Every structure is written in structure tokens, then in C-alpha cells.
Amino acid sequence: MSGKLNIQSRLAVLEPETDMLIKQRRPWDLPESQVTDEADFLNRRQIIAAGGGLLAAGALGFNARAQTDPSAGLYPAARNTAYTITRDLTPEEVNSTYNNFYEFGSSKSISKASQALQTRPWEITIDGEVEAEMTLGIDDLLKKVTLEERLYRLRCVEAWSMTIPWTGFPLSKLLEIAKPLSSAKYVQMQTFENPKVARGQLAVWYPWPYTEALTIEEAANDLAFMVTGAYGKPAAKQFGAPIRLAVPWKYGFKSVKSIVRFSFLKERPTTFWEEINAGEYGFWANVNPKFDHPRWSQATERVLGKNERIPTVIFNGYGEQVADLYSGKTERKYFM
Ligand SMILES: Nc1nc2c(c(=O)[nH]1)N[C@H]1C(S)=C(S)[C@@H](COP(=O)(O)O)O[C@H]1N2
Ligand SMILES: [Mo]
């Protein structure tokens, strides 16, 4: 061993689990303790459908999140039928227990740890190349938008995928509120930073806080969605409550969670994963089965909650909506 520290060897990076690991513990083989937790995630609509409304929900030990979340009354929101898809939805209990959220650890089992995140009060700052910088609370922001439900795919760079009923509003609506100047070419989004709560942030070899960025044109595309809810209720903490991005034509790491800052910038910023390994997790990260990750194939994906592997499609199936953004941009770097 040389004296020089190999940072890469210490980093748990985004990569597929080995078949061995998948066999040992698949996301739907929940340990007993997590099954009990799942009772707390009972779908509000299911409870209401069960007949007793909130009273019955209380009697069932209805979860504290929905009781104290001031936005709970905004859900479920009407589904925007322009964004329905033919794939089956990923069961909520599968999605809720298989997450990437490195702030709470580098495994997929961060659902419990992430409950420590306090999502109220939650201030969001909009700064940089805008008419006027501002800070507003999440509930003030929610008053300025109309929530809708969209069924979106999510394709992780690790070659697994899900289909999720997100609730939120188009990122273009946030651009309207932020009023970026013509000098703003990129929007950078930053996750909270609080290592006391998010113990993963004690790992000093990651460049916290997590940031991601889009070009202004990408951000203005109607597909770019700010998620505040999922499965017909406020987003669970492991999904990136109270507000996260969903850009379903890009690998999942672009869809940054628990955002506290939107910065409008003249120059392209370096993103979290780009800083860790630009050759493996780039700025553009558009899904393309023809460009393999340096260490594995991107041709197919494992569908979470189902025992199947399906072909991956370019732009994750959203070419009609987004291909125009990349005309002439055919090189590998746009798909990394
Ligand atoms: N702040 C933050 N955002 C994040 C991540 C993260 O570790 N921290 N992981 C990303 C990755 S790699 C993926 S695949 C998706 C996972 O979202 P999900 O857990 O809701 O499926 O979140 C993305 N957003
Ligand atoms: Mo990912």
C-alpha cells in the first residue's frame, strides 16, 4: 500500500448491487421491524376509503407526519392525464424502503434514519441572477402553485427503475416566481446541510451539500417537476420532503432531494456527483441504453417490486418531450 490515500476506495458510490446482494435482501423482503413501520405509511386514501375518515385514521394510529404537516389538506391532487403511463406503479412500501439519500447513509435502507429530518419550518432561498433574491417558507410557496399528480418513471444510474405517482408543480412555475434575469443560464438546486440530523454528512469525503443543476431551457421544459407529494399525500422524508426535483429523462441522481436553495447562475456549476467522479456521473446524465456506464451496462434495468429486467429506452421514454433540448448533442458526454 502506498501512503497516498485512495479516496475512491473509501467512497460508497452509486453502483448496482451485486446479484449476491440482491438475493440476500430484496427490497420486498422486508424485515419484521420495517413491516411494522409500514403500517404508519398507510395511504390516506386507503384509510378514508376504509370508511371512517380522519377519525378512523386517528384510531388506527394515523402517522404523525400527516397530522402535523400543514400541507396535508392539499392531497390528493388531481391527476394530470397528460402524464399517465402504461407501466405498473411501484408499490409504495417498496419505494419507501429502497432509497438513495446519502445524507442518511450510503445503503438503500435509510427510510428510518431519514425520519429525523424536520421539514417544518422549511425556508427556501432563491438567489443569484434574479430580479430580486427572496426567501420563503415551503407553505408560502405551496400557496403560489397548483398541485397536480403525475405518474413518472425513475431510472437510476445503477440500472434499477420505478414508476411513481408524484404530486407537485412544474419547475417552470418556480421560474415564474423567481424571475431569473436573461444572464441566468443555469439553475442550481441545493439540499439542506445538517450533519447532526443527517449523519451521512459526517462523511467528510463527500462534497456536501448535495447539489444538482439544469440549464434554464431544461428547467423550463414542462417535464421538469418539483415534487412535494407522493402516493396521494405529502412526500415521505425518504423521498426528499418537503420538496425535491423529478427530471425523469435523466438518471435519478439529478433529481435532488430536500431542496433549500435555488441559485440562478451565469456559469455551469460542478454538481455533487460530478465532483466525486465526473467520468462516471456527469452533468447531463440523459438516459441512453447505448452508452454504458464505465463499469456496467445501461442496456436494461431491474424493475423494483417485480422480478423482471426490461430494456432501457433513450431519454427514459420521454424523447417526445425533451429530445429538442439536445438536437445535435449526440456524443457520449450528454448521456453520462
Ligand atoms: N439530496 C440527495 N438527493 C438525491 C440523492 C441523494 O443521495 N441525496 N440520491 C439521488 C439518487 S442516486 C436517486 S436514484 C434518487 C432516488 O430517489 P428515491 O429514493 O425517491 O427513489 O434520488 C436522488 N436525489
Ligand atoms: Mo440513482
Side-chain angles (χ1 to χ4, degrees):
M1 284 283 284
S2 80
K4 198 169 166 233
L5 195 69
N6 178 357
I7 297 270
Q8 277 303 314
S9 70
R10 299 173 61 187
L11 276 175
V13 289
L14 294 169
E15 56 187 14
E17 295 177 67
T18 64
D19 285 350
M20 189 65 160
L21 279 170
I22 292 164
K23 224 174 239 149
Q24 280 171 358
R25 190 153 170 285
R26 299 168 303 175
W28 49 94
D29 292 336
L30 297 174
E32 187 91 20
S33 61
Q34 285 187 10
V35 174
T36 314
D37 275 1
E38 283 310 310
D40 293 338
F41 286 92
L42 272 174
N43 185 305
R44 181 165 170 235
R45 279 188 294 207
Q46 285 170 355
I47 292 168
I48 292 168
L54 286 173
L55 221 78
L60 286 168
F62 192 53
N63 69 77
R65 182 187 72 243
Q67 275 173 349
T68 57
D69 188 322
S71 70
L74 300 174
Y75 302 88
R79 183 172 295 178
N80 181 340
T81 52
Y83 295 97
T84 47
I85 34 185
T86 49
R87 281 189 197 176
D88 292 338
L89 292 181
T90 305
E92 185 181 3
E93 57 278 12
V94 172
N95 194 349
S96 304
T97 51
Y98 189 95
N99 305 95
N100 273 329
F101 203 167
Y102 276 59
E103 284 79 351
F104 295 100
S106 56
S107 83
K108 298 290 181 277
S109 308
I110 54 75
S111 59
K112 245 190 192 155
S114 68
Q115 303 314 308
L117 181 64
Q118 293 304 309
T119 54
R120 294 294 188 290
W122 191 272
E123 302 275 282
I124 295 163
T125 297
I126 296 174
D127 63 12
E129 304 294 307
V130 289
E131 274 183 25
E133 300 193 341
M134 63 175 107
T135 296
L136 72 176
I138 180 68
D139 296 299
D140 294 327
L141 176 59
L142 286 171
K143 282 192 195 111
K144 296 179 193 285
V145 301
T146 306
L147 296 184
E148 62 185 60
E149 183 177 74
R150 296 184 181 188
L151 309 185
Y152 270 13
R153 303 173 184 191
L154 182 142
R155 170 52 160 88
C156 178
V157 73
E158 300 167 326
W160 51 261
S161 68
M162 293 197 273
T163 304
I164 309 143
W166 293 130
T167 304
F169 58 92
L171 175 51
S172 62
K173 182 69 198 174
L174 190 130
L175 298 188
E176 263 174 47
I177 295 166
K179 299 194 179 71
L181 303 172
S182 59
S183 52
K185 305 295 182 213
Y186 298 89
V187 55
Q188 180 193 49
M189 297 166 225
Q190 183 191 311
T191 298
F192 73 89
E193 190 166 19
N194 183 356
K196 281 197 188 121
V197 169
R199 309 293 287 175
Q201 291 181 331
L202 293 170
V204 293
W205 49 92
Y206 292 107
W208 309 110
Y210 196 108
T211 59
E212 258 306 335
L214 300 171
T215 66
I216 288 291
E217 293 74 27
E218 290 174 327
N221 187 280
D222 194 53
L223 246 197
F225 198 54
M226 295 314 308
V227 169
T228 59
Y231 296 91
K233 58 196 172 188
K237 291 176 180 177
Q238 57 268 46
F239 295 156
I243 185 166
R244 63 89 62 85
L245 178 68
V247 278
W249 71 98
K250 292 177 178 286
Y251 290 119
F253 64 85
K254 296 291 295 184
S255 291
V256 47
K257 294 178 170 180
S258 303
I259 298 168
V260 295
R261 183 182 297 273
F262 293 83
S263 298
F264 289 83
L265 305 173
K266 291 180 185 166
E267 310 283 342
R268 192 175 105 188
T270 306
T271 57
F272 179 82
W273 283 106
E274 204 183 2
E275 201 162 321
I276 291 167
N277 192 338
E280 301 198 355
Y281 318 101
F283 172 80
W284 296 98
N286 295 310
V287 174
N288 189 337
K290 295 219 164 71
F291 289 102
D292 287 339
H293 185 276
R295 293 182 288 128
W296 61 86
S297 165
Q298 294 292 27
T300 63
E301 62 205 52
R302 183 167 64 93
V303 182
L304 291 194
K306 290 193 161 196
N307 199 7
E308 66 179 17
R309 193 165 262 287
I310 59 173
T312 288
V313 283
I314 187 156
F315 296 120
N316 201 21
Y318 294 101
E320 208 176 304
Q321 290 95 327
V322 300
D324 281 358
L325 291 167
Y326 312 103
S327 51
K329 294 178 167 156
T330 53
E331 306 102 281
R332 178 179 179 81
K333 68 170 178 185
Y334 293 106
F335 302 99
M336 278 294 309

